[in-house]
Amino acid sequence: MKKVVFFVLIIVCLGLLIGCSAMREEREIYDKTLRLHIPADSNSEADQAVKLKVRDAVIDLLEEPLSGCKNKAESVKIIQDMSDIISETANNVLLSNNFDYKATVTLTEEYYPRRSYEGFTLPAGTYTSLKIELGEAEGKNWWCVLFPQVCIGSAKPEETLAEVGFTANQIRLLTEQEETEYVVKFKIVEILESIFG
């Protein structure tokens, strides 16, 4: 009986270590990522359409300045330095499309749910975010990633992530489509079943 308890404790400890390692990898992903969040004024067709025009103008504005960044801190500094230009760009799009509300630009920390983009998935968590609120900001959102530039440019996400220092495990977490927590749970069940038959 003591051997069984000992094996169960070892398996539980291994499961906790694996879970803690995955959580540490996810925390590092939050720390290395800068996201873009644009909530529209409302869900009207016109407000949603202008949200996408603001998105395009802001991405065009930031693509070149952010392309040389090697880490999140560099990209955050560029965003801070360009905040007035970003605000002006967004407001010019609104004005040229005959909208009387304004864009509010902030650099903030926001919670995001798990989100899949083309070729990669970001875990749920709190990320640094360039938030551009249009008018009342009560409409549907548009989200993407400014750093690393996986939503901008044509490089494969794996290449972009590796170039800016994401580890092989972090790249795997971001580019594999299954949720790691389920894999850990199933592995523990497999180990327990192999011991207890």
Side-chain angles (χ1 to χ4, degrees), residues 16 67 72 179:
L16 289 172
S67 66
K72 183 179 111 177
E179 291 194 42

Side-chain angles (χ1 to χ4, degrees), residues 85-128:
I85 298 167
I86 295 167
S87 181
E88 183 181 332
T89 299
N91 282 310
N92 284 342
V93 171
L94 294 173
L95 186 61
S96 67
N97 285 275
N98 301 313
F99 288 87
D100 58 1
Y101 55 77
K102 299 286 185 190
T104 305
V105 175
T106 55
L107 195 59
T108 186
E109 298 291 317
E110 290 188 285
Y111 178 83
Y112 287 84
R114 184 175 187 266
R115 179 76 180 190
S116 293
Y117 299 93
E118 289 183 24
F120 73 104
T121 300
L122 284 169
T126 301
Y127 293 82
T128 303

Side-chain angles (χ1 to χ4, degrees), residues 44-189:
S44 75
E45 190 174 321
D47 285 336
Q48 288 296 312
V50 80
K51 172 190 74 177
L52 298 179
K53 290 180 180 181
V54 169
R55 171 203 66 188
D56 293 344
V58 169
I59 286 176
D60 286 347
L61 173 71
L62 296 175
E63 183 172 4
E64 187 177 339
L66 294 178
S67 66
C69 292
K70 298 299 179 196
N71 56 54
K72 183 179 111 177
E74 290 179 10
S75 61
V76 166
K77 176 77 167 75
I78 288 170
I79 296 297
Q80 289 170 332
D81 292 346
M82 294 183 68
S83 63
D84 290 342
I85 298 167
I86 295 167
S87 181
E88 183 181 332
T89 299
N91 282 310
N92 284 342
V93 171
L94 294 173
L95 186 61
S96 67
N97 285 275
N98 301 313
F99 288 87
D100 58 1
Y101 55 77
K102 299 286 185 190
T104 305
V105 175
T106 55
L107 195 59
T108 186
E109 298 291 317
E110 290 188 285
Y111 178 83
Y112 287 84
R114 184 175 187 266
R115 179 76 180 190
S116 293
Y117 299 93
E118 289 183 24
F120 73 104
T121 300
L122 284 169
T126 301
Y127 293 82
T128 303
S129 181
L130 170 61
K131 187 172 186 179
I132 304 173
E133 296 177 279
L134 305 181
E136 297 297 319
E138 294 178 352
K140 290 180 182 174
N141 304 283
W142 188 85
W143 297 325
C144 203
V145 180
L146 291 174
F147 185 86
Q149 288 187 309
V150 288
C151 289
I152 303 170
S154 58
K156 291 183 178 179
E158 294 90 342
E159 294 169 2
T160 303
L161 294 167
E163 285 174 8
V164 295
F166 280 73
T167 66
N169 278 341
Q170 290 165 347
I171 293 170
R172 182 183 50 76
L173 283 170
L174 292 169
T175 57
E176 289 183 3
Q177 298 302 308
E178 61 184 31
E179 291 194 42
T180 305
E181 59 198 25
Y182 295 134
V183 175
V184 171
K185 288 178 187 174
F186 292 144
K187 193 65 175 172
I188 291 170
V189 170

